[in-house]
Amino acid sequence: MPPPNETPAARALRERQEAEAQRTSDKIDEQIRAERAAMKKKEKGIVRVLLLGQSESGKSTTLKNFRMKYARSAWKQERASWRAVIQLNLLRSINTILDVMQAEMDGEPVDGSNEEPRVAEQGMITTGIIDDSMGGGPRTPISPATPTSPSTPSMPWANTPFGSTVSLSRPSGSSSTQTSPIDSTLTNQHQLLKLRLGPLRRVEFDLRRRLGAGADEDYGSNTEASFGVLGTVTNTARGTLISKRSRSEFGVRKWKDALENGQQVMGRWHARARSSELGHDAGSAGGASGAGDEATEVIASCREDMKSLWMDAAVRGVLKKRKMRLEDSAGFFLNDLDRIATRAYEPSDDDVVRARLRTLGVQEHRIHFEQPMGQSQLFPGSIADFGREWVLYDVGGSRTIRHAWVPFFDNVNAIIFLAPISCFDERLLEDSRVNRLEDSFLLWRTVCSSKLLSRTTLILFLNKCDLLRRKLRSGVLVKNYLPSFGNRPNDPPTVVKYLKEKFRDISKQYSPEPRVTYYYPTSVTDTKATAATLQTVRDAILLEHLKSADFV
């Protein structure tokens, strides 16, 4: 609206100013449209992959393999910072053995006695997925595998002559659950060894603090409330709950932050070492850098005692008696003590892949693929640059945090689902009524049936085949836990084929529409074999992504 009494000169000036303002506005709008188009094009070229699976299924290990193969420069820069994590894994194994020894010395009962375990029992949550040939009625329990140390240890060796065998039994009336006396081969020499390794418990605590412990996820005791596949639900299973002790595991909020803390420790350690080589006072160089240097020193000084503990036949017997198979657990390094428990130890690629660092929550990792020499031949020319940037989401697999998965279902190109098939005879740590393999089937069914993921490429890793082979060689019979397995040969190829068909049937039955699904038997700690698998997986994901983007 022009102002009243506007002169012709003022009007001409106003119109020029308005025209200039309009040109400026149009230019800004054009820039915004161009930026949006460029961003849309860039986002269209980014491949988003979600790693799913229960806790300890191998998600983080798969991510490490991706980074080691396709982001080598960043991997090399980060590798040394895993030293503190690997030291922590080593100490956790040693202290677990010491806890088991303490339980044996105190006459703690062995859980599960000699009952033949089954997958289903009264009070256990089942769906019939892996137990489709069994009727109702109670079943004998799966024996929990991990004892915990008593809060108030007794000392049955106190008045025992040196070198003699400690005879152990629980005092009469000390517990409502009476057990027969436990004859142990542990002697007071084992107790002395245990005392010499006592400082490692404080070092473990210092390393956890230095890495930035986010929380110890405490699963607590069984209650009437349980956790569903993707969140908290009310438990309506009939029967009483199986008694279970409270358990927890160290975890960090962010993987990158923990490694940065570990890298700072390494930096001070190297500075101190260089100062020592130059003949300077080690104290002035390292100052109170403290736990990092001290951890290395204490671990190195205890190397021979740790080797004696791990190689001792009596200790191995106690571990077997109490159903502890540390060698099957993530972050196992006791067979590498001569190499790791040294002052000059530097982590290798395989060490980092095997290291266990539990993360709490969702971790986002961006990978800019570095393949100037190894570019896949599937996409020649300019299309080969398409999908060079990937965003991988590593989400926690514990039942307490699965509700965080759902927001990531939108706009994801592929899901790599890890199902640890070696755990057919194990229970969830969070809920002892649920078989771990059953839980993987339930998760897979939930993913397949999600309408948000109806057009998402699904890739299933039938993981931990190495542990499956080891378990079957030891004589464990799959049909005792999966009755529908029947009288098939109890060998790895047959078991893998059987489980693959189970997962395939679920995908066909519950997917809202036909979809592309890939199945791979894997052992993601085997870096060489996994690298070949990841190349195939990458090409498959890119091919499906290019189809959806109308490139092919």
Side-chain angles (χ1 to χ4, degrees):
M1 193 71 181
N5 303 322
E6 183 180 33
T7 64
R11 178 180 179 181
L13 177 61
R14 177 176 57 80
E15 290 177 346
R16 287 196 300 271
Q17 291 174 341
E18 290 177 350
E20 182 64 26
Q22 185 63 44
R23 284 193 296 272
T24 302
S25 178
D26 292 343
K27 186 177 181 180
I28 293 174
D29 290 342
E30 181 65 27
Q31 290 176 343
I32 292 175
R33 284 193 293 269
E35 290 174 358
R36 286 178 177 174
M39 182 63 68
K40 185 177 181 180
K41 183 178 180 180
K42 180 180 179 181
E43 290 295 315
K44 195 174 183 180
I46 294 177
V47 178
R48 289 178 172 80
V49 179
L50 188 60
L51 300 173
L52 294 183
Q54 64 185 215
S55 181
E56 293 192 49
S57 59
K59 299 184 298 295
S60 296
T61 306
T62 301
L63 175 62
K64 292 174 191 174
N65 276 280
F66 261 109
R67 299 183 69 246
M68 182 174 62
K69 180 173 176 60
Y70 296 113
R72 190 66 187 174
S73 297
W75 172 267
K76 287 182 177 179
Q77 293 177 0
E78 180 185 280
R79 185 171 55 195
S81 60
W82 281 89
R83 174 179 172 140
V85 177
I86 294 166
Q87 289 176 332
L88 179 62
N89 290 169
L90 180 65
L91 296 185
R92 184 179 178 90
S93 295
I94 291 294
N95 287 327
T96 297
I97 294 175
L98 297 180
D99 288 341
V100 174
M101 289 174 59
Q102 184 68 62
E104 181 74 8
M105 290 174 175
D106 287 342
E108 285 284 303
V110 179
D111 292 323
S113 65
N114 293 319
E115 295 174 321
E116 181 68 19
R118 295 278 184 177
V119 69
E121 62 184 88
Q122 182 177 0
M124 286 192 71
I125 299 173
T126 59
T127 63
I129 294 176
I130 63 175
D131 197 35
D132 50 20
S133 66
M134 296 183 67
R139 305 283 186 260
T140 52
I142 299 176
S143 302
T146 308
T148 54
S149 60
S151 57
T152 308
S154 59
M155 296 185 178
W157 58 84
N159 298 316
T160 304
F162 184 84
S164 62
T165 300
V166 182
S167 178
L168 301 169
S169 64
R170 180 172 293 279
S172 176
S174 62
S175 172
S176 59
T177 304
Q178 295 296 318
T179 62
S180 58
I182 300 175
D183 293 328
S184 173
T185 56
L186 297 179
T187 68
N188 61 344
Q189 291 177 320
H190 291 96
Q191 173 58 18
L192 291 175
L193 182 61
K194 181 175 178 290
L195 291 175
R196 287 200 298 269
L197 293 173
L200 295 181
R201 208 170 288 276
R202 176 180 56 81
V203 175
E204 179 186 358
F205 175 79
D206 289 341
L207 284 174
R208 288 170 55 165
R209 182 183 58 184
R210 187 166 292 277
L211 286 171
D216 278 0
E217 186 172 5
D218 194 346
Y219 302 112
S221 302
N222 281 317
T223 63
E224 291 299 327
S226 178
F227 296 101
V229 176
L230 288 178
T232 305
V233 296
T234 302
N235 173 33
T236 58
R238 57 188 172 83
T240 58
L241 303 180
I242 301 166
S243 62
K244 183 170 72 73
R245 291 169 177 167
S246 176
R247 302 175 185 176
S248 63
E249 183 181 0
F250 163 78
V252 297
R253 295 297 180 188
K254 290 186 178 182
W255 185 0
K256 294 179 180 179
D257 291 347
L259 293 181
E260 287 177 1
N261 291 338
Q263 187 63 44
Q264 291 174 5
V265 173
M266 286 300 301
R268 286 193 290 267
W269 183 84
H270 283 302
R272 184 172 181 174
R274 287 193 298 269
S275 178
S276 178
E277 290 174 358
L278 294 174
H280 298 162
D281 180 16
S284 63
S289 59
D293 298 340
E294 185 179 359
T296 301
E297 292 295 327
V298 174
I299 291 172
S301 63
C302 291
R303 180 175 66 248
E304 295 304 320
D305 283 341
M306 289 190 288
K307 288 171 59 179
S308 297
L309 179 73
W310 175 236
M311 299 305 296
D312 188 88
V315 172
R316 293 288 186 98
V318 171
L319 292 174
K320 183 177 181 180
K321 173 184 177 182
R322 294 184 172 268
K323 302 179 178 66
M324 288 293 296
R325 286 188 56 84
L326 292 174
E327 55 269 40
D328 290 347
S329 61
F332 175 77
F333 292 99
L334 290 180
N335 289 336
D336 303 291
L337 279 165
D338 282 331
R339 182 173 56 85
I340 293 176
T342 62
R343 293 170 179 83
Y345 167 65
E346 295 288 346
S348 66
D349 286 344
D350 284 344
D351 291 343
V352 176
V353 168
R354 290 162 50 203
R356 167 71 173 165
L357 180 60
R358 184 183 182 88
T359 52
L360 308 176
V362 179
Q363 312 292 318
E364 178 181 317
H365 300 267
R366 289 184 176 266
I367 295 181
H368 296 271
F369 283 79
E370 305 168 1
Q371 283 196 323
M373 298 299 293
Q375 182 67 50
S376 170
Q377 298 301 312
L378 184 61
F379 310 110
S382 60
I383 296 181
D385 291 330
F386 184 80
R388 289 291 291 270
E389 182 179 359
W390 283 34
V391 181
L392 292 94
Y393 302 100
D394 178 12
V395 299
S398 171
R399 282 190 157 196
T400 58
I401 55 178
R402 289 179 187 172
H403 61 276
W405 292 9
V406 178
F408 293 88
F409 286 179
D410 191 22
N411 199 31
V412 65
N413 300 106
I415 287 179
I416 298 178
F417 187 97
L418 290 105
I421 60 175
S422 65
C423 62
F424 60 85
D425 60 344
E426 302 171 16
R427 295 179 182 179
L428 281 181
L429 185 62
E430 305 96 311
D431 189 341
S432 62
R433 298 162 302 177
V434 181
N435 176 275
R436 287 190 64 190
L437 183 58
E438 178 91 358
D439 184 61
S440 286
F441 279 124
L442 290 171
L443 283 173
W444 178 247
R445 187 175 70 182
T446 301
V447 170
C448 291
S449 61
S450 173
K451 293 183 179 180
L452 287 174
L453 303 174
S454 61
R455 297 189 178 183
T456 300
T457 302
L458 296 185
I459 298 164
L460 176 67
F461 280 9
L462 299 163
N463 197 33
K464 301 195 176 182
C465 290
D466 53 336
L467 299 185
L468 175 68
R469 285 191 293 270
R470 190 182 305 165
K471 188 171 288 187
L472 297 183
R473 278 200 303 266
S474 70
V476 179
L477 298 177
V478 175
K479 66 180 181 181
N480 287 344
Y481 303 89
L482 282 69
S484 60
F485 186 74
N487 292 320
R488 294 175 176 85
N490 198 65
D491 57 67
T494 304
V495 175
V496 171
K497 180 181 179 182
Y498 168 80
L499 294 177
K500 177 181 176 181
E501 290 303 316
K502 285 284 188 181
F503 281 104
R504 191 193 301 275
D505 290 344
I506 292 174
S507 178
K508 290 181 178 179
Q509 181 178 354
Y510 291 98
S511 293
E513 57 184 82
R515 57 144 44 91
V516 176
T517 307
Y518 301 89
Y519 302 86
Y520 299 94
T522 59
S523 300
V524 293
T525 54
D526 183 345
T527 56
K528 185 176 181 179
T530 302
T533 301
L534 292 183
Q535 181 64 62
T536 305
V537 167
R538 185 196 176 201
D539 288 348
I541 293 176
L542 285 177
L543 180 59
E544 296 302 321
H545 188 41
L546 289 168
K547 287 180 179 179
S548 66
D550 297 326
F551 275 87
V552 295

